[in-house]
Structure formats: C-alpha cells, structure tokens
C-alpha cells in the first residue's frame, strides 16, 4: 500500500536524526520514479530543473505552476519530497505564510525558504526581514499540523555575497526562528562546511554538491553533514547531453547519441504504469 503523507513526513524527519543521506533532485515524474527505483530514501524538487523543463529561467515560474509541480512529484513516488520553494512566493511575511500553507497541502515532507530577493542590487533580504519571513513560514507549518520540515537557506554564496560570518549569523537566526534544517548553498571547503555545522548544531545541515567533487558521502558525513542535495546539476547534465546531440544534428551529423539510454531499459523502468 502507498505510504500516507504523515508516514512520508515521519520517515523524512527520521532520516535527519543520524547518519548522512543523499537527496537527489528530479524535475518531472519520470526522473522522480527513476530515482525511486535506485533505492534513494527521499527526493527534492529543483526550481531550476523544473523552470528549464518549461522553457523558463530559474525563479521565473509562477507560484501556481510550482504548487502543481509539487503535487505531481508527490504523486509520482512514495518517497518523501522536499520542496525547493524559492523565497516563499510572497512580498511580505503574511504572503509567505499563505504560500507555505498551500505548499504543505500538496503533501510535501519538507520545504525550504530562501533569503534571496531576486534583486541584483540587493540580493539578500536584511536579516531581520528574512527572519520574519521564516518565522511566518514556521507558523504556517505549525498551523497546518507541524509535521512538515522547514529548511532555512542563506543564499549569500549563491548570489555573489560570499560572506561566511554573515552566512553563519543568518543560519543561527533561522535556526532560532524554527528552521528544522539549515542550508547554505555555494559553500565548498571543508572549513566552511564545518563552520556551518558547528554554528547550528545540533540541527541538521544540508550541503549542495552541484558539480564534480572530490568529496564523498563519507567525507561529508565526517564533517557532520546530515543530507546532501545536487540541486539542478542532474537537470544540467541531462540538458548537456540533449544540447550536444542537437548540435550534432544541426551540423548534419548523427553521432551525438553515444551515451543515450536504451529504449528497452527505459521501458523496463517504467513498465509499472499503475500511477
């Protein structure tokens, strides 16, 4: 029998209690089902992967489209789903709270709120405003039952403000505001990772590995990391293969399919079409 939403959320929370797990990022039903077939214990949506699949730039998809996408991924798999919910789709804390309640209703097991503004001149919210937005998200989750995990994200390193002290101050504040897990995408060195882990301990930390890395899962676990996601990296890898094959075709060549999966393999993976 399929797991209930409550069972998925309980399983997701338990994953964060010890050890270190990989949280891969599908962008559609097929990629979600394939990841589940490999034995992953949970998945997370990717705002960029979903946006590109719809011919949009990252962070240029409507709230309604993202909510429908979350519903699609939740229904695609019995695994817990963590929502990449961008900055909460709200101009103020009240609107963030409204959006979070809608996201919780899709059945996601966790959701992240970024502190990025989308404004290149001022790329992150002032910390007081960011805390207010996260506090509103926490309240919305609690009013909806409280079993959905809240992930607080400090976007400094991603948006071109690689200020580690400010990142640590933000993550500490987000932890105090009720975030269950903390995340600073873009940090790369062991020293930076250890600093984040120590700053918010004992709360779990997510680390992004968005490109080839010398780190192993064991290495990251040794640094105190509890979960590792890849963001849009898998989507970019898929796009890379598609673009290489397309360029070969436009040049009149048919040599861009060397790494293609076989149709028989894909049909075998998706033979169970009960969903």
């Amino acid at each position: 029998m399929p797991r209930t939403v409550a069972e998925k959320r309980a399983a997701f929370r338990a994953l964060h209690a010890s050890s270190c797990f990989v949280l891969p990022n599908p962008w559609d039903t097929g990629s979600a089902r394939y990841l589940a077939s490999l034995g992953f214990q949970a998945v997370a949506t990717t705002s960029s992967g979903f946006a590109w699949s719809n011919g949009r730039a990252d962070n240029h998809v409507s709230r309604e489209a993202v909510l429908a996408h979350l519903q699609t991924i939740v229904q695609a798999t019995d695994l817990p789903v963590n929502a990449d919910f961008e900055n909460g789709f709200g101009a103020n804390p009240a609107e963030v709270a409204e959006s979070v309640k809608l996201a919780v209703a899709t059945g996601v097991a966790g959701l992240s709120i970024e502190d990025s503004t989308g404004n290149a001149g001022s790329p992150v919210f002032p910390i007081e405003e960011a805390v207010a937005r996260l506090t509103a998200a926490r309240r919305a989750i609690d009013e909806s039952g409280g079993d959905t995990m809240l992930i607080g994200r400090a976007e400094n390193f991603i948006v071109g403000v690689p200020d580690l002290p400010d990142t640590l101050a933000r993550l500490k504040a987000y932890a105090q505001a009720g975030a269950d897990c903390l995340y600073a995408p873009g940090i790369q060195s062991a020293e930076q990772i250890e600093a984040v882990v120590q700053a918010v301990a004992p709360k779990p930390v997510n680390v992004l590995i968005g490109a080839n890395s010398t780190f192993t899962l064991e290495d990251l676990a040794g640094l105190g990391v509890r979960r590792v996601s890849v963001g849009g990296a898998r989507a970019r890898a898929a796009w890379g293969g598609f673009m290489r094959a397309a360029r070969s075709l436009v040049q009149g060549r048919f040599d861009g399919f060397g790494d293609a999966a076989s149709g028989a393999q894909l049909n075998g993976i998706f033979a169970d079409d009960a969903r």
Side-chain angles (χ1 to χ4, degrees), residues 194 217-225:
E194 285 183 318
L217 187 63
E218 184 178 3
D219 293 335
L220 294 169
L223 295 173
V225 174

Side-chain angles (χ1 to χ4, degrees), residues 209-230:
I209 302 294
N212 289 344
S213 174
T214 58
F215 284 123
T216 65
L217 187 63
E218 184 178 3
D219 293 335
L220 294 169
L223 295 173
V225 174
R226 289 290 175 82
R227 73 183 211 185
V228 183
S229 56
V230 297

